[in-house]
Amino acid sequence: MTIEQIIAFNVTLLAAIASPGPAFLVLVRTSLARGRRAGIATGCGLAVMASTWTLMALLGLDAIFRLVPWLYLAAKIAGALYLLYIAVRTWRSARNPIETDAAPAKRAFRDGLIINFLNPKSVLFAAAVLVVIFPAAMPLADKAFVMANHLVVEIVVYAILATTLSTTAVSRQYLRAKVYLDRAAALILGALGLRLLVSR
């Protein structure tokens, strides 16, 4: 494993984080609605699970999904249903005041963890990227390093994003349009859930 390979992996990872999807959308919405602490908690949940998927890909979990298609299908359906649940919850709470107690941060970490846990495409994406960038046979220590690198990069990026979105100026703008923004987020999450449900 070389430094060039790590750089290539990180560039690809940053592009994947920035691409529109349920993880990014939930992080943005949580940071706007619940503030920096909850946003960072969501980011940590997303990062822990995403880096775990990367490790699983390095250990060959993608091969298990290919050998046992029903397992992949079950994970995909569970992920789609959870996204639809989040969409309904977001729509219904659009007119509710923003929560300010400590509990939302705990739920935010759980939501981030579950969203990436119930996204089996993550392990297939990770496997495809890893095959292109890294050598076929890597020592276990190198695999652990790639996972740790992934975890740190995601936590740093999500923490910066959550901190930026939770500033007073941005939060004030969000509050003015909370109903519309939350319902738009709900529609997008619902569409992503349906897309995951029907995709092959």
Side-chain angles (χ1 to χ4, degrees):
M1 186 171 62
T2 65
I3 187 65
E4 290 80 10
Q5 290 169 335
I6 291 295
I7 292 172
F9 176 71
N10 286 342
V11 170
T12 305
L13 178 58
L14 290 172
I17 292 171
S19 64
F24 185 82
L25 183 59
V26 168
L27 184 281
V28 170
R29 195 258 171 188
T30 301
S31 301
L32 288 171
R34 299 180 184 174
R36 181 176 60 86
R37 184 180 177 188
I40 292 175
T42 299
C44 287
L46 292 169
V48 167
M49 200 62 241
S51 59
T52 301
W53 278 130
T54 291
L55 180 61
M56 293 298 100
L58 286 167
L59 297 176
L61 182 61
D62 60 307
I64 295 176
F65 275 151
R66 292 189 178 96
L67 288 173
V68 190
W70 65 264
L71 185 62
Y72 175 80
L73 179 62
K76 189 178 76 164
I77 291 173
L81 293 177
Y82 188 71
L83 282 178
L84 292 171
Y85 163 73
I86 293 289
V88 170
R89 193 178 74 181
T90 301
W91 181 278
R92 288 181 174 176
S93 65
R95 293 190 179 277
N96 296 346
I98 292 177
E99 301 170 276
T100 56
D101 60 344
K106 297 176 183 177
R107 291 200 300 271
F109 178 83
R110 179 203 64 193
D111 286 346
L113 201 68
I114 293 175
I115 283 170
N116 269 350
F117 175 71
L118 294 175
N119 183 11
K121 288 187 174 182
S122 296
V123 72
L124 300 181
F125 170 80
V129 169
L130 294 166
V131 166
V132 172
I133 295 175
F134 295 108
M138 287 199 303
L140 188 58
D142 286 355
K143 293 177 180 180
F145 178 82
V146 171
M147 178 192 177
N149 171 83
H150 186 161
L151 179 66
V152 170
V153 169
E154 288 220 10
I155 288 177
V156 169
V157 170
Y158 286 140
I160 292 171
L161 183 59
T163 300
T164 302
L165 291 171
S166 60
T167 58
T168 303
V170 175
S171 296
R172 190 177 295 126
Q173 294 296 323
Y174 166 73
L175 286 172
R176 290 175 182 169
K178 179 180 183 297
V179 174
Y180 307 105
L181 292 175
D182 281 7
R183 288 191 170 166
L187 290 173
I188 295 171
L189 285 169
L192 290 170
L194 290 173
R195 180 181 177 184
L196 181 59
L197 195 62
V198 302
S199 65
R200 295 186 178 181

